[in-house]
Amino acid sequence: MDYSWYMSMKRTNVYADPEDLAIIKEAAKRRGISEAEIIRQGIHLAAMANRVWDEPLFSRTFEGPGRTPSKAEVQDAVVDAVRRETGPGTAA
């Protein structure tokens, strides 16, 4: 087995709920992977969920009336877009 990835990891100790550990043990056996791998995946998910990104998720701005459109305005916009996509004389 190739353990080259092992040297780039850092060991740490954490306290965990015994019920959570039992679930992890079951899942590891069912999936055929180590409990440590499941815990590493969980740590990675927690890290990514709490990451602060340098750039905003949405960097573009869109023109609009500066207010939330009404339900009727949204429906009208969708109908207009469908008509443009399907072309004249096509039943939508």
Side-chain angles (χ1 to χ4, degrees), residues 2-52:
D2 179 24
Y3 288 102
S4 60
W5 55 267
Y6 184 70
M7 296 306 289
S8 66
M9 293 195 176
K10 183 174 168 109
R11 182 183 171 119
T12 189
N13 295 320
V14 297
Y15 291 98
D17 184 277
E19 292 177 10
D20 291 338
L21 293 175
I23 293 168
I24 289 170
K25 183 181 280 294
E26 266 181 41
K29 185 176 180 181
R30 185 177 60 251
R31 293 175 59 195
I33 62 175
S34 69
E35 294 171 42
E37 181 58 27
I38 292 176
I39 292 168
R40 280 191 289 272
Q41 291 171 359
I43 290 171
H44 179 70
L45 290 172
M48 296 308 292
N50 289 284
R51 182 175 178 179
V52 176

Side-chain angles (χ1 to χ4, degrees), residues 36-90:
E37 181 58 27
I38 292 176
I39 292 168
R40 280 191 289 272
Q41 291 171 359
I43 290 171
H44 179 70
L45 290 172
M48 296 308 292
N50 289 284
R51 182 175 178 179
V52 176
W53 300 91
D54 294 335
E55 298 177 11
L57 182 59
F58 299 104
S59 59
R60 297 186 331 176
T61 57
F62 300 93
E63 290 184 24
R67 60 177 175 72
T68 302
S70 68
K71 182 177 179 179
E73 290 171 317
V74 171
Q75 289 172 333
D76 291 344
V78 171
V79 168
D80 290 343
V82 169
R83 286 187 180 140
R84 281 194 303 276
E85 288 290 320
T86 57
T90 307

